């Protein structure tokens, strides 16, 4: 029995990893660091005004936790750098999805708390402490942890080797992938459900007073994240595996940057403008009172001189 083995040289593809020699390497570093710093800057500007009425009524502790989580989500962009090893593939799977849940957890819980405290129409008094609110944040994060732990054991993201035959050329590719699509489907349902929950909370708090309710900010943030996320998912799936994972990670980085910074601005800037307007009104009242006291003092001096 004769066995004929035909050997054909294969090219190693470089479209699946973003290495230091790739132009996208500097772009992703810039996107990750700029997104991180922008969210931290907005967080500091917000927390510096935490003693003003506008910030106090926004439940600044949990809004601050949301802003910090947005900053941490930008670190997922930095994990896209480097070769597709087993450890980096698993790290990318964990960092993005864990911080995604961490972003929404304090935001939804604080909105629910305001809805129960301020939007309550019953005579019975309702009390929800900060400790209880912090405990309410656990289920969303815990559910994401369970999903990540289960799939890290059953079907983790790992290094896979593909051999692509395109005409006379043979290309060897090393990618990060799962054995099945179960993880992708599970995360789409879970994280898509979080977006839907945010829209429901925004609808239920639409009639609350602007000092306490943040329905507009919440729906703007949910709309921005939903649109960007949908575009990224549709475009990345339309690109297929032939385009390489590097281009997809660039799309993910743009989506993370836009979603986090846009959402932070939606919640921080209106409150900062409100706090600034309150400070102006306070200064005007102080000027009026001071002017009135000066006028009274001058009148008293004139009367004393006449006597």
């Amino acid at each position: 029995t004769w066995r004929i083995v035909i050997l054909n040289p294969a090219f190693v593809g470089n479209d699946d990893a973003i290495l230091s020699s790739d132009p996208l390497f500097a772009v992703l570093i810039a996107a990750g660091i700029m997104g991180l710093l922008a969210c931290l800057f907005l967080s500091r500007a917000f927390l510096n005004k935490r003693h003003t009425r506008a910030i106090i009524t926004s439940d600044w502790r949990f809004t601050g936790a949301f802003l910090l989580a947005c900053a941490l989500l930008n670190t997922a962009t930095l994990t896209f750098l480097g070769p597709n090893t087993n450890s980096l593939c698993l790290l990318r799977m964990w960092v993005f999805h864990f911080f995604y849940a961490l972003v929404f957890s304090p935001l939804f819980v604080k909105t629910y708390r305001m809805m129960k405290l301020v939007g309550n129409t019953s005579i019975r008094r309702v009390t929800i402490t900060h400790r209880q609110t912090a405990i309410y944040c656990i289920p969303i994060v815990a559910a994401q942890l369970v999903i990540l732990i289960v799939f890290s054991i059953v079907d983790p993201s790992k290094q896979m080797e593909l051999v692509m035959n395109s005409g006379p050329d043979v290309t060897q590719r090393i990618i990060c992938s799962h054995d099945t699509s179960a993880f992708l489907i599970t995360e789409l349902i879970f994280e898509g459900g979080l977006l839907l929950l945010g829209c429901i909370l925004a609808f239920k708090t639409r009639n609350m007073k602007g000092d306490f309710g943040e329905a507009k900010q919440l729906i703007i943030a949910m709309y921005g994240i939903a649109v960007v996320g949908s575009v990224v998912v549709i475009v990345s799936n339309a690109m297929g595996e032939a385009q390489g994972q590097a281009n997809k990670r660039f799309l993910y980085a743009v989506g993370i940057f836009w979603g986090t910074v846009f959402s932070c601005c939606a919640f921080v800037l209106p409150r900062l403008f409100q706090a600034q307007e309150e400070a102006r009104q306070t200064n005007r009242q102080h000027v009026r009172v001071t002017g009135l006291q000066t006028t009274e003092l001058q009148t008293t001096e004139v009367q004393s001189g006449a006597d």
Side-chain angles (χ1 to χ4, degrees):
T1 302
W2 291 86
R3 293 182 179 179
I4 300 174
V5 179
I6 300 176
L7 300 178
N8 191 17
F11 300 96
V12 178
N14 56 0
D15 296 331
D16 297 298
I18 302 176
L19 305 176
S20 57
S21 58
D22 196 312
L24 289 178
F25 191 87
V27 175
L28 262 65
I29 289 180
I33 294 178
M34 287 176 61
L36 175 66
L37 294 179
C39 293
L40 289 177
F41 174 79
L42 290 170
S43 176
R44 181 175 181 180
F46 181 83
L47 294 178
N48 283 343
K49 300 289 186 179
R50 65 185 181 275
H51 299 297
T52 61
R53 183 178 181 277
I55 305 301
I56 292 174
T57 55
S58 70
D59 204 347
W60 61 268
R61 292 175 181 83
F62 294 96
T63 304
F66 160 74
L67 298 174
L68 180 60
C70 286
L72 293 175
L73 183 56
N74 282 277
T75 60
T77 299
L78 302 179
T79 65
F80 296 155
L81 305 174
N84 294 325
T85 61
N86 286 330
S87 56
L88 273 178
C89 291
L90 192 61
L91 179 65
R92 291 162 187 161
M93 165 183 157
W94 268 83
V95 172
F96 174 78
H97 294 289
F98 177 75
F99 286 138
Y100 183 93
L102 201 62
V103 165
F104 285 104
S105 180
L107 180 60
F108 291 170
V109 169
K110 96 177 188 73
T111 305
Y112 173 79
R113 182 192 187 199
M114 284 296 180
M115 182 179 68
K116 288 297 183 181
L117 294 180
V118 182
N120 183 33
T121 57
S122 63
I123 302 176
R124 188 179 62 179
R125 181 179 179 183
V126 178
T127 302
I128 303 177
T129 64
H130 294 309
R131 183 177 180 181
Q132 290 175 323
T133 309
I135 294 174
Y136 293 160
C137 293
I138 295 176
I140 293 177
V141 180
Q144 185 69 284
L145 277 174
V146 170
I147 294 173
L148 290 172
I149 290 173
V150 169
F151 279 96
S152 295
I153 299 172
V154 177
D155 185 16
S157 177
K158 58 186 177 183
Q159 180 190 83
M160 287 190 177
E161 182 179 343
L162 298 178
V163 177
M164 310 292 293
N165 293 313
S166 55
D169 298 328
V170 178
T171 304
Q172 180 191 27
R173 296 175 55 193
I174 298 176
I175 65 172
C176 288
S177 182
H178 297 267
D179 292 329
T180 67
S181 301
F183 179 75
L184 175 62
I185 295 172
T186 303
E187 286 296 346
L188 283 176
I189 294 173
F190 178 74
E191 295 174 353
L194 291 180
L195 284 175
L196 179 61
L197 177 60
C199 295
I200 293 173
L201 286 174
F203 178 78
K204 285 184 172 293
T205 57
R206 68 191 185 280
N207 294 324
M208 286 177 57
K209 189 178 178 181
D211 291 345
F212 299 96
E214 294 178 323
K216 292 181 180 179
Q217 294 93 316
L218 185 59
I219 196 63
I220 288 173
M222 294 301 102
Y223 177 78
I225 295 173
V227 170
V228 173
S230 300
V231 170
V232 170
V233 171
I234 293 173
V235 173
S236 61
N237 287 332
M239 291 170 63
E241 293 294 339
Q243 296 295 326
Q245 291 187 333
N247 294 327
K248 293 182 179 181
R249 288 171 188 158
F250 171 72
L251 287 177
Y252 299 155
V254 173
I256 291 172
F257 176 84
W258 175 259
T260 54
V261 176
F262 181 80
S263 299
C264 288
C265 290
F267 280 91
V268 172
L269 296 182
R271 290 294 180 177
L272 292 181
F273 292 148
Q274 189 177 352
Q276 187 177 12
E277 183 62 27
E278 289 177 0
R280 289 176 181 174
Q281 292 179 359
T282 302
N283 290 335
R284 291 193 193 113
Q285 293 175 357
H286 178 70
V287 169
R288 291 194 191 102
V289 173
T290 304
L292 180 60
Q293 291 176 346
T294 304
T295 304
E296 291 177 350
L297 181 60
Q298 291 175 351
T299 304
T300 303
E301 291 178 351
V302 169
Q303 292 178 352
S304 298
D307 293 338

